[in-house]
Amino acid sequence: MNKRTLVRGGIAIVFLAALAVTAYFAFSRARYVALNNPFEGQATPGAGEGGGPSGDNGDSQPGNGSENQPPGEEVVEGGGIPESGWEGSSRVTILVMGLDLRDWEAGDSAPRTDTMMVLTIDPLSNTAGMLSIPRDLWVEIPGFGYDRINTAYRNGEVFDLPGGGPALAIETVEKLVGVEIDYFAQVDFNVFVRMIDEIGGIKLEITEPIKVDLIGPEPPKTIQPGTHTLPGDVALAYARARGTEGGDFDRAQRQQQVILAIRDRVLSFDLIPLLLTKSGTLYNELSSGIRTNLSLEGAIDLGLLGIKIPIESIRRGVIGSDAINFYTTPDGDQVLKPLPDQVRTVRDFVFGTTGLSSPLADMTPEARIQAESATIALKNGTLREGLASATAQFLEERGFTFSSENVGNANQTYPFTQVIDYTGNPYTVQMLVEMLGIQNHLIYLRYDPQSPIDVEVNLGNDWSASFSP
């Protein structure tokens, strides 16, 4: 193994421990490698400034040679995003991604993300947070229009963008959540399974029967309610299961439950000395399964801080059913459309602050509409004369503006009112939905940056029957 691979492999195994907030053995191992390696006196890669997409110094090349590389193969680059250290005093935020093995098995050129989670640690308040993002969330992916959020990583890899999949995934999540993401970690499922097996499994309280599908030839199994110690493969299947009433929302909560169970297992059973004796073997086996842009020193400091944070100071949040609308795309796909205000609320809970970046967050609803400045077409899809003009006046009294040429009759009749967003105007659409009583399944996102109008409303018979000026 050459020195570049050795150092980056050390970064990877250290960072895994930082994510799970558990494996002090990895930090000891990494510190030993850093202080006693045969390349002493030579610069450690990634010790410079910057971090995340905004820290790109212009020297990275798109893809960095890691494109189309399946899980389990050694990745020694940080995804095209320059490595960076952490100075130890400011809040640090990390996007953690697990890749969808089904895409590799199907022979696709690059995978989607199966798991996306934002982790944050604040050393000043000694708090941490976990925010899970459903993979079917329908969001704007910069440069690609609207799609499921789990396609952002794939697009960055397939189209060989600067920073590859990690950079585009970070940019997409930053736009959704409204916080700056400092680092990323792409974790292989095999690393997850191996680490849990090394600590003798994890103890979980199962509250209802759940059917889990193990990766590989083994048939599905059902875990009954009760307290169970699960091995790595079953714990992974439990974390990935979707067949419960809450679907992806339950799944996100189980993933957080598993991460905290790993932490509890190591700290409660004082497994650090035992793991330390195996650190050499684990280092060699696990270092190839993680891809990150966090430097060695930063990972050590972050991990040491993480294991000191009390469990009651770790906040958990999910962009769940109260923060989305169920939505059917024009192609008939069932997706989840985020509600900006509710996403901001869960974000602020996880981060423990209300002072995060969101340009429209503190505005009144009317001010948000004005800030979006959407051009709205209002069309009468009924036989009631003058309905569009009367509705335009009704809406103008509540903060909307219309041009006369965009108010008129539709080219067909509509039994129910619908709204179409062509350029991404969530606050405008949300207010129209509330004022016109538009049903969730009649909200359409049809991204078209060339559209002469931003939002189109086709008034239906339901509005005609209920509206009286």
Side-chain angles (χ1 to χ4, degrees):
M1 181 182 295
N2 61 44
K3 61 183 179 182
R4 185 177 181 84
T5 302
L6 177 64
V7 172
R8 299 207 181 221
I11 296 169
I13 188 60
V14 169
F15 193 66
L16 171 65
L19 293 179
V21 201
T22 59
Y24 183 85
F25 78 92
F27 309 138
S28 299
R29 172 69 178 179
R31 191 177 297 277
Y32 176 85
V33 171
L35 297 178
N36 301 282
N37 71 78
F39 312 110
E40 185 174 359
Q42 301 194 27
T44 301
E49 298 178 351
S54 62
D56 196 330
N57 60 13
D59 296 330
S60 60
Q61 297 299 319
N64 256 353
S66 61
E67 301 90 325
N68 307 332
Q69 187 163 0
E73 294 187 18
E74 186 164 29
V75 179
V76 296
E77 297 291 341
I81 304 175
E83 287 178 358
S84 175
W86 173 57
E87 89 313 326
S89 61
S90 62
R91 175 187 290 274
V92 61
T93 302
I94 309 151
L95 177 62
V96 182
M97 297 172 285
L99 303 183
D100 196 330
L101 290 179
R102 296 172 302 177
D103 292 333
W104 292 116
E105 293 168 352
D108 291 347
S109 56
R112 297 164 295 177
T113 48
D114 184 72
T115 299
M116 298 183 87
M117 185 184 298
V118 177
L119 302 182
T120 184
I121 295 180
D122 184 0
L124 297 181
S125 62
N126 199 35
T127 59
M130 298 186 291
L131 175 62
S132 293
I133 301 172
R135 60 184 181 180
D136 288 335
L137 212 59
W138 188 253
V139 301
E140 183 179 1
I141 299 175
F144 293 87
Y146 282 87
D147 205 341
R148 287 183 172 91
I149 197 167
N150 68 346
T151 65
Y153 180 92
R154 168 187 279 177
N155 288 338
E157 294 288 292
V158 169
F159 291 93
D160 199 24
L161 300 183
L168 187 58
I170 286 175
E171 186 178 0
T172 302
V173 173
E174 286 180 332
K175 184 170 184 178
L176 167 70
V177 180
V179 298
E180 182 178 354
I181 294 175
D182 306 296
Y183 307 105
F184 78 91
Q186 171 195 313
V187 183
D188 180 1
F189 285 154
N190 293 330
V191 170
F192 182 88
V193 171
R194 183 75 170 89
M195 184 171 183
I196 291 178
D197 285 341
E198 279 301 323
I199 61 177
I202 56 173
K203 182 180 290 187
L204 295 174
E205 184 70 29
I206 311 297
T207 58
E208 60 181 349
I210 181 170
K211 185 177 181 180
V212 299
D213 190 6
L214 279 66
I215 294 177
E218 292 193 33
K221 62 184 301 182
T222 299
I223 305 175
Q224 298 298 331
T227 301
H228 300 269
T229 299
L230 304 183
D233 57 345
V234 180
L236 174 62
Y238 172 77
R240 299 183 68 238
R242 303 180 75 186
T244 57
E245 183 177 354
D248 263 349
F249 308 132
D250 288 351
R251 183 176 185 264
Q253 292 175 343
R254 286 194 299 273
Q255 290 170 354
Q256 295 181 3
Q257 179 190 11
V258 166
I259 288 178
L260 293 178
I262 296 173
R263 173 188 183 276
D264 292 344
R265 183 75 170 180
V266 172
L267 297 181
S268 299
F269 286 80
D270 194 21
L271 296 178
I272 292 171
L274 174 62
L275 294 174
L276 187 57
T277 64
K278 300 182 178 181
S279 60
T281 300
L282 295 176
Y283 169 84
N284 292 328
E285 292 184 7
L286 303 184
S287 61
S288 63
I290 308 171
R291 182 181 178 189
T292 183
N293 63 330
L294 182 61
S295 74
L296 176 62
E297 292 81 2
I300 293 172
D301 293 339
L302 181 60
L304 290 173
L305 172 63
I307 61 176
K308 297 177 183 178
I309 295 177
I311 186 67
E312 61 271 15
S313 297
I314 301 176
R315 294 192 174 194
R316 300 164 57 183
V318 177
I319 298 179
S321 58
D322 57 345
I324 60 93
N325 277 331
F326 293 96
Y327 170 69
T328 302
T329 70
D331 294 330
D333 295 329
Q334 302 294 317
V335 296
L336 311 174
K337 190 176 69 169
L339 300 175
D341 283 347
Q342 286 79 352
V343 170
R344 180 171 61 88
T345 297
V346 67
R347 175 207 68 184
D348 289 351
F349 169 76
V350 169
F351 280 75
T353 177
T354 57
L356 299 173
S357 61
S358 181
L360 307 184
D362 298 322
M363 296 182 180
T364 64
E366 293 78 11
R368 292 172 183 172
I369 294 170
Q370 294 175 4
E372 285 185 337
S373 302
T375 301
I376 306 171
L378 189 62
K379 302 299 182 182
N380 181 6
T382 75
L383 300 179
R384 177 177 169 180
E385 293 186 5
L387 181 61
S389 297
T391 302
Q393 182 178 353
F394 167 79
L395 292 173
E396 285 174 340
E397 294 171 352
R398 289 155 177 81
F400 289 90
T401 58
F402 297 91
S403 298
S404 58
E405 64 269 20
N406 291 327
V407 179
N409 293 324
N411 57 10
Q412 68 178 76
T413 59
Y414 291 89
F416 299 99
T417 303
Q418 63 174 222
V419 59
I420 306 170
D421 187 356
Y422 293 104
T423 59
N425 304 275
Y427 291 109
T428 300
V429 170
Q430 180 181 356
M431 186 64 72
L432 288 169
V433 167
E434 293 175 357
M435 291 187 173
L436 302 179
I438 300 174
Q439 301 176 57
N440 288 339
H441 69 282
L442 296 175
I443 305 169
Y444 300 100
L445 298 176
R446 297 175 181 170
Y447 184 71
D448 181 6
Q450 305 303 318
S451 174
I453 59 174
D454 299 306
V455 177
E456 176 182 337
V457 178
N458 294 305
L459 300 173
N461 292 326
D462 59 335
W463 175 248
S464 176
S466 63
F467 174 65
S468 58

